[in-house]
Amino acid sequence: MTAEPGEDSASEYTIHACEPAELLTVSTSPQAGGWRLSVELVDALGSETADAARVAGAVTANGSADAAGATHVAGAADAAGVADEPGPSDPSEPVTRVRLRHHDVPTEMIRHVGPGWEWYLDRLVGVVTGGEVPGMDVWDSRYMTLGDDYAALTE
């Protein structure tokens, strides 16, 4: 997370789960906020195995707090809270959904954390696809305007 204003600094992470090509769960040090984060790769077309080497840009969003207090975020959401980027033109190509989970987010923070993940994931998509990589110049106008929508998902 080196794109935010201020001086870059190293953060210590603890690995809680590491299942190659499927799941990584880490937590940041208390000095970095003590957040627990998971990245899961899921085959978006429904077969048994996700092919981590072929992430085809299918990114989903859900922004809502689940029963465990986690937030699932990425990309722009439609009315149902889920949006998929177009997959490969060849339907036999694997499509992997990247599912991010920010565990135990206090409900009052959802309005701030959700837009932050939207911004970081749009940056990831931009880097992977060669598209726009949004900077801080659009933070308030494009991302913080989503805060009320995220807060409404917890009501």
Side-chain angles (χ1 to χ4, degrees), residues 82-118:
V82 177
D84 287 332
E85 295 293 325
S89 57
D90 179 352
S92 67
E93 289 287 317
V95 176
T96 301
R97 179 171 288 162
V98 177
R99 190 176 295 155
L100 300 174
R101 177 173 281 197
H102 187 155
H103 301 269
D104 304 320
V105 177
T107 302
E108 66 274 6
M109 288 186 62
I110 296 292
R111 74 173 43 255
H112 303 288
V113 173
W117 280 114
E118 295 273 353

Side-chain angles (χ1 to χ4, degrees), residues 105-145:
V105 177
T107 302
E108 66 274 6
M109 288 186 62
I110 296 292
R111 74 173 43 255
H112 303 288
V113 173
W117 280 114
E118 295 273 353
W119 184 70
Y120 271 108
L121 292 167
D122 283 353
R123 292 176 60 80
L124 173 64
V125 170
V127 168
V128 169
T129 65
E132 177 196 7
V133 178
M136 288 304 300
D137 58 322
V138 295
W139 174 254
D140 287 330
S141 64
R142 191 183 308 171
Y143 295 93
M144 285 313 295
T145 59

Side-chain angles (χ1 to χ4, degrees), residues 4-112:
E4 296 176 32
E7 189 174 318
D8 295 345
S9 61
S11 295
E12 183 178 315
Y13 285 79
T14 300
I15 298 171
H16 300 281
C18 183
E19 300 169 19
E22 292 180 17
L23 174 70
L24 175 65
T25 300
V26 299
S27 60
T28 62
S29 65
Q31 296 84 357
W35 290 1
R36 189 173 176 112
L37 310 166
S38 294
V39 177
E40 183 180 12
L41 302 178
V42 180
D43 185 339
L45 300 179
S47 69
E48 297 286 323
T49 308
D51 182 352
R54 311 224 32 191
V55 176
V59 180
T60 65
N62 177 337
S64 64
D66 66 16
T71 302
H72 315 272
V73 284
D78 64 15
V82 177
D84 287 332
E85 295 293 325
S89 57
D90 179 352
S92 67
E93 289 287 317
V95 176
T96 301
R97 179 171 288 162
V98 177
R99 190 176 295 155
L100 300 174
R101 177 173 281 197
H102 187 155
H103 301 269
D104 304 320
V105 177
T107 302
E108 66 274 6
M109 288 186 62
I110 296 292
R111 74 173 43 255
H112 303 288

